[in-house]
Amino acid sequence: MIKDLTQYFGSNTFNDAVMRERLPLDVYLAMKKTIENGEELSIEIADVVANTMKEWAIEHGATHFTHWFQPMTGITAEKHDSFISKAPQGKILMEFSGKELIKGEPDASSFPSGGLRATFEARGYTAWDCTSPAFLREDSSSITLCIPTAFCSYTGEALDKKTPLLRSMEAIDKQAVRMLHLFGKNEVKHVNVCVGAEQEYFLIDREKYLKRDDLIFSGRTLFGAMPPKGQEMDDHYFGAIKERVLSFMHDLNEELWKLGIYAKTQHNEAAPAQHELAPIFNTVNIETDHNQLVMESMKKIAARHGLACLLHEKPFAGVNGSGKHNNWSLTTDTGENLMKPGSKPHENKQFLLFLAAVIKATDEHAELIRMASSCPGNDCRLGGAEAPPSIVSIFIGEQLEDILEQIVENGYATSSKSREKLSMGVTTIPYIKKDVNDRNRTSTFAFTGNKFELRMVGSSMSIADANTVLNTIVAESLSQMADELEDADDFDAAVTELICRTITEHKRVIFDGNGYAKEWVEEARRRGLPNKESYVDAIEALTFPNTIDVFTKHNVLSKAELEARSAINYELYAKTINIEARTMVEMASRKYIPAAIRYAKELADTINAVSIALDETEADNEREMLGECLELIGQARSAVKELEKNIADAALKGSEEEKALYFRRNVVKAMKDLRKPVDQLEMIVAAEYWPVPTYAEMIFEV
Ligand code: ADP
Ligand code: MG
C-alpha cells in the first residue's frame, strides 16, 4: 500500500495542528503565547496540555513518557515512567499531570557536571521546553512519549547543552531586534536563528562491525591497512545508491517524516560506504533536537537492516571523514532573512552591517568557534588532506569581497557584480543564470548566498555548542554596534563608517583561497590567526577572559558554568583516548599477535617440512617471510608494552587538563607506534589467519 506522505508527516508529533485540534481555544492561545513570545505558562494550562498530550499519546499506543534531555555527554538521556497509577479493586488509571509535564527530577550526580555537583548533591531538574514539540518514539515493541526538556542542577546551573542554546537564542534575538529598530523596522518583534544541519555518516555490514572491538568501543577503526582502492576514482560521490542502502534510507525517511523532521536530500558521499542526509532548515533548538533524532534513528534503523551506522568523524584512516555542515541564518518574525544580500548588496547597508557583525565575531572568537565545533574524534579529521583545517576563516565569495574592498578603500561601495548567463555551448539546454559566487568547499565558515555554513562541526556532535557560540558572539558584535549607533547623530553616515571600520579591522579572517593547502597555514600565521591543532589545545578558549565577559554579559553561561564545561571537555578527551588505547592493547594482544604467531607457525612448519623433503638449505623464501613476520610481531609486542606504560602514566597525572595533555602528547603517539607494525602484519599474514574484517571488506562490501 502506498502511504500518503502529506498525511503521515508529523503524525508522531504533538505539533501545532494537533494542539489546535485538541486543546480548548484559550489553552491553545496561551500555549502559542509561551512558544512564540516566551510568556510564562500557568500550572492550570499545563494540566490541560498534559492531559491532552497523554490522551493523544495513548491513542497512538504509548504506555510510557519520558523527559528527553541532552546532558553534557553530547547524546540524549531519558528515564521512562508509565502513565499508570493505582485505582481501587486492583485496577489502574492512566494519568499524566501538568507537574509531571513541566518538571522531572533525574539524579544529576551521574551526569558530567564538571565539578558543579558533588556526588552527594544529587538533585537535578529537567524542565519542559515547550518550543520543541513533544513526540512519540516508536521502537520495535514500544511507543514512548518524549518531552524535550532542559536540564539543570538544584542551584539552577545548566547541566546540559540545551539550556545555554536557549539562552543564546534570547541573546541574539534581543540584540538583532535592537539593531533592526535602529534601521526603522519597528514592526519586528523577534529574530529567530535558523539552522539546517547536513549529516554525514558511514554504513557498513553489521556482522563485520560486531567483529571489530575498535568499532564497538570507540566508533572508529584503530587498526587497518589501506585496501588497493580507496576513493581515488571519485566513483562514490553522488554515485547510484545501492539497493540495500536505499532501503535503509527509505525506512529512515519514513521514521523522520513521522517525527516531523523535514528530511530532504540524500546522496552518497566521497568515501566508499559514506552517505549524507540533509533536512530543510528549522529554528535552531528544534533543529538541534531533530539532529539528535536523526543520529539516533540512523543507528536504530541501520541495525534493523543488518547494517551499522558509524557517526564517528574518522571511522577509516585514508578516506574522507564525516562532518556536519551547520547552515546558520537569522530570520525576523516578519519573514525577512537577514543574511540575504538582495540584488544590490552594495546598497543594502543593513545586510552589510549584519555581515560585518558575523565577520567581527568570527575574528574575535575564532578559537571559541574551533572549540565548539570540535570533539576528540574530530581531531582525526580536521586539518587532514580533505577536511577543513583547524584555522577558522570566513569565505564570503567574489561579489561580497569586491564590495567590502570598495568600502575599505573608499569608505563606501558603488556597485555589485551581477549574475551572468551560463553558457554550456548547447542550444537545446535551457538558459541558466550562474550564482554570483562559486563555492569554496575548503572554507571552515562559508557564506553560501543566504546563510553561513560552518563546516567544521564533527559528525557525531550535538550542534548545540556550535550554535550557542555563534549566537552569543554575534549577539555581542551586534550589541557593541548598536551601542555605537544609538548615540549617532547621523545614522546613515555612522553605519557606513562602522561597516568600513569593522571590515578594515577584521578582514584578516576573510580567506577565499584553498583552505586545504599547506601555504594557508603559513599565510594564516602571518595574519595572526590562531591555529589550534588539537581539540585539547582549543579547550582553553572556554575560559578566556574575553569569553567569560561575553557569555556572562549575555546571560548564556556563568563563569562557573564555563569552567565546568572546560573540565568536562578535558575529562571527555582523556576518557576517549584511554578507551581507544586500551582497546588497541586488547586487540593487539589477544587477536593480531596470536593470529600472526599462528601464521608464523605455519611458515615454520613449512620450512621444516621442506628441509626434510629436500635439503636444509631450501625454503629460503619461507625463511625470509618468517623472519619478517617475527620481526613485526616483536615490534608489535614492544609497542603494546610501551602503550600500556603510557596509559598507566597518564592515570597518575593530577588534573583533568594534565591528563588530557598527556594523552594528547604521549598516548596518541604510542597508539600510532602500535598501529604501524600491526598494519604491516596485515599486509603479509595470509588472509585466512586475519582475525577481523579488513578495510576492503568493510567499506566495499556493504
Ligand atoms: P548547499 O549546502 O548545497 O547549499 P542547500 O542549499 O540545500 O545545500 O542547503 C543545505 C542546508 O542548508 C539544508 O539543510 C538547508 O535547509 C539549509 N538552509 C538553506 N537555507 C537556509 C537558511 N536561510 N538558513 C539556514 N539554513 C538554510
Ligand atoms: Mg552544504
Side-chain angles (χ1 to χ4, degrees):
M1 191 186 69
I2 297 172
K3 287 183 257 178
D4 180 357
L5 172 54
T6 57
Q7 291 303 309
Y8 76 80
F9 184 85
S11 58
N12 277 346
T13 59
F14 192 73
N15 57 19
D16 190 57
V18 178
M19 288 197 283
R20 180 74 191 83
E21 187 192 318
R22 297 186 175 230
L23 292 174
L25 187 62
D26 58 328
V27 175
Y28 171 74
L29 292 176
M31 268 297 285
K32 288 285 275 188
K33 271 193 188 155
T34 305
I35 294 172
E36 284 165 13
N37 304 331
E39 286 180 26
E40 233 169 86
L41 197 75
S42 72
I43 187 72
E44 291 76 25
I45 298 281
D47 269 329
V48 180
V49 176
N51 194 50
T52 310
M53 207 186 259
K54 175 202 73 184
E55 276 168 12
W56 169 81
I58 289 173
E59 272 170 39
H60 284 78
T63 50
H64 289 69
F65 69 93
T66 181
H67 274 202
W68 185 74
F69 58 106
Q70 302 174 24
M72 260 114 66
T73 52
I75 52 174
T76 59
E78 50 196 74
K79 182 185 97 186
H80 298 193
D81 277 299
S82 69
F83 291 115
I84 66 168
S85 65
K86 277 189 184 170
Q89 300 163 338
K91 296 200 179 264
I92 54 157
L93 284 174
M94 298 291 263
E95 283 185 331
F96 184 48
S97 68
K99 213 171 121 229
E100 287 171 301
L101 169 63
I102 291 179
K103 191 180 93 176
E105 245 187 84
D107 181 340
S109 62
S110 305
F111 293 101
S113 77
L116 284 176
R117 305 263 66 201
T119 313
F120 64 94
E121 298 171 316
R123 230 185 252 282
Y125 299 111
T126 48
W128 181 31
D129 168 21
C130 66
T131 60
S132 180
F135 57 90
L136 296 172
R137 214 189 47 206
E138 286 181 56
D139 295 301
S140 57
S141 57
S142 66
I143 296 176
T144 310
L145 170 65
C146 298
I147 299 150
T149 54
F151 179 43
C152 69
S153 72
Y154 183 66
T155 42
E157 280 125 350
L159 291 178
D160 67 348
K161 296 195 178 264
K162 177 166 249 184
T163 308
L165 177 66
L166 293 170
R167 292 176 185 159
S168 74
M169 289 166 69
E170 288 189 19
I172 196 162
D173 177 14
K174 192 166 148 196
Q175 299 304 331
V177 167
R178 204 178 141 205
M179 183 60 84
L180 291 171
H181 287 182
L182 287 172
F183 275 93
K185 298 202 170 151
N186 291 315
E187 67 284 5
V188 174
K189 299 277 174 292
H190 285 291
V191 170
N192 271 317
V193 181
C194 292
V195 165
E198 304 166 57
Q199 176 74 45
E200 294 179 337
Y201 61 99
F202 279 80
L203 280 182
I204 65 166
D205 189 85
R206 187 160 193 84
E207 273 182 33
K208 290 174 192 147
Y209 166 85
L210 291 173
K211 290 192 178 124
R212 300 260 336 194
D213 291 348
D214 46 5
L215 287 179
I216 293 173
F217 294 130
S218 70
R220 71 170 173 123
T221 53
L222 298 163
F223 297 97
M226 262 309 275
K229 180 183 173 190
Q231 65 187 53
E232 61 275 55
M233 302 298 283
D234 295 327
D235 52 357
H236 194 257
Y237 190 62
F238 282 15
I241 305 173
K242 287 182 188 160
E243 196 166 333
R244 186 176 185 195
V245 174
L246 261 182
S247 147
F248 156 85
M249 288 176 171
H250 173 272
D251 287 1
L252 175 65
N253 286 331
E254 198 168 289
E255 168 116 349
L256 297 179
W257 288 332
K258 280 199 227 164
L259 287 167
I261 297 173
Y262 301 94
K264 172 84 176 162
T265 310
Q266 59 195 26
H267 60 81
N268 285 352
E269 256 300 329
Q274 193 186 26
H275 312 279
E276 178 180 303
L277 179 146
I280 301 175
F281 64 95
N282 213 325
T283 310
V284 62
N285 68 317
I286 297 179
E287 181 65 5
T288 303
D289 287 358
H290 282 181
N291 183 251
Q292 293 287 353
L293 289 172
V294 165
M295 293 194 285
E296 284 169 25
S297 304
M298 281 178 169
K299 296 212 153 195
K300 185 170 77 182
I301 287 161
R304 282 187 205 155
H305 286 253
L307 296 164
C309 170
L310 308 179
L311 293 170
H312 192 281
E313 286 71 20
K314 195 79 176 178
F316 303 99
V319 294
N320 273 17
S322 300
K324 186 136 44 191
H325 295 177
N326 188 81
N327 295 274
W328 181 94
S329 70
L330 298 172
T331 308
T332 65
D333 55 354
T334 52
E336 182 185 353
N337 177 356
L338 300 176
M339 296 295 143
K340 216 169 172 170
S343 57
K344 291 182 185 160
H346 68 283
E347 290 176 1
N348 189 345
K349 293 237 179 103
Q350 180 195 301
F351 166 75
L352 291 173
L353 191 70
F354 275 89
L355 175 70
V358 176
I359 292 172
K360 171 179 156 73
T362 307
D363 188 30
E364 286 176 349
H365 300 278
E367 282 148 303
L368 203 50
I369 295 179
R370 157 62 161 123
M371 160 62 227
S373 30
S374 314
C375 65
N378 223 359
D379 269 9
C380 311
R381 166 179 171 259
L382 292 181
E386 81 309 306
S390 316
I391 307 158
V392 175
S393 66
I394 286 195
F395 168 81
I396 54 169
E398 210 182 308
Q399 186 196 45
L400 293 178
E401 206 156 320
D402 170 60
I403 293 172
L404 297 189
E405 261 167 37
Q406 294 179 47
I407 294 177
V408 169
E409 264 173 41
N410 314 324
Y412 55 89
T414 52
S415 64
S416 301
K417 291 189 175 175
S418 57
R419 297 174 74 179
E420 290 165 14
K421 188 178 164 182
L422 181 69
S423 160
M424 294 184 65
V426 182
T427 45
T428 50
I429 289 183
Y431 165 84
I432 322 179
K433 262 188 171 179
K434 285 208 284 195
D435 286 286
V436 277
N437 296 304
D438 199 357
R439 286 168 173 265
N440 185 328
R441 282 177 37 101
T442 67
S443 176
T444 35
F445 198 27
F447 181 71
T448 47
N450 61 353
K451 61 188 184 286
F452 274 96
E453 181 174 9
L454 182 63
R455 306 179 63 251
M456 234 176 177
V457 184
S459 50
S460 69
M461 297 175 69
S462 160
I463 56 170
D465 290 352
N467 288 300
T468 301
V469 163
L470 291 180
N471 299 347
T472 309
I473 62 179
V474 175
E476 171 59 12
S477 289
L478 290 171
S479 150
Q480 287 181 21
M481 290 171 150
D483 285 348
E484 198 176 319
L485 294 175
E486 269 167 4
D487 291 339
D489 298 327
D490 179 347
F491 178 73
D492 242 26
V495 170
T496 309
E497 195 274 324
L498 180 56
I499 295 170
C500 178
R501 176 158 34 90
T502 309
I503 299 304
T504 310
E505 274 171 23
H506 299 289
K507 64 176 192 287
R508 64 174 189 165
V509 78
I510 302 172
F511 176 64
D512 65 356
N514 179 6
Y516 294 176
K518 288 204 177 62
E519 297 76 44
W520 170 227
V521 177
E522 249 325 294
E523 165 71 15
R525 185 173 312 139
R526 266 197 300 278
R527 293 185 185 195
L529 298 178
N531 180 7
K532 295 284 183 192
E533 279 183 13
S534 92
Y535 169 67
V536 179
D537 301 329
I539 295 174
E540 61 174 11
L542 276 173
T543 46
F544 282 166
N546 193 8
T547 308
I548 296 173
D549 286 351
V550 171
F551 275 69
T552 47
K553 172 174 163 188
H554 296 280
N555 295 321
V556 176
L557 286 167
S558 68
K559 182 162 182 273
E561 286 170 330
L562 283 162
E563 282 165 352
R565 265 149 224 263
S566 141
I568 289 170
N569 287 331
Y570 285 122
E571 194 180 335
L572 175 79
Y573 182 84
K575 283 181 175 165
T576 305
I577 308 299
N578 189 41
I579 291 171
E580 291 188 350
R582 289 178 52 202
T583 305
M584 286 187 84
V585 166
E586 163 112 3
M587 286 177 81
S589 311
R590 301 191 53 215
K591 288 210 164 131
Y592 295 124
I593 294 176
I597 290 175
R598 278 196 296 277
Y599 178 59
K601 178 167 184 305
E602 176 169 333
L603 287 172
D605 288 348
T606 308
I607 294 165
N608 285 340
V610 172
S611 306
I612 293 167
L614 297 171
D615 182 293
E616 291 215 345
T617 58
E618 294 295 329
D620 284 354
N621 284 321
E622 290 79 356
R623 279 177 212 278
E624 200 183 312
M625 286 162 75
L626 177 61
E628 217 177 304
C629 191
L630 292 176
E631 165 65 26
L632 288 170
I633 291 173
Q635 286 178 19
R637 278 267 297 151
S638 316
V640 165
K641 285 189 195 147
E642 188 57 28
L643 182 53
E644 279 177 324
K645 184 176 160 299
N646 272 282
I647 297 172
D649 287 348
L652 300 176
K653 299 288 156 201
S655 70
E656 293 302 336
E657 184 177 346
E658 277 171 348
K659 242 186 223 158
L661 280 172
Y662 192 84
F663 271 104
R664 163 82 192 144
R665 300 212 176 111
N666 304 64
V667 180
V668 168
K669 179 178 176 303
M671 286 164 64
K672 279 195 187 127
D673 291 344
L674 172 56
R675 179 170 184 154
K676 202 166 158 220
V678 173
D679 285 0
Q680 282 174 319
L681 278 170
E682 188 183 331
M683 310 286 281
I684 62 165
V685 169
E688 70 215 67
Y689 285 88
W690 204 245
V692 299
T694 62
Y695 267 33
E697 287 161 346
M698 286 185 286
I699 60 180
F700 285 106
E701 297 171 20
V702 183

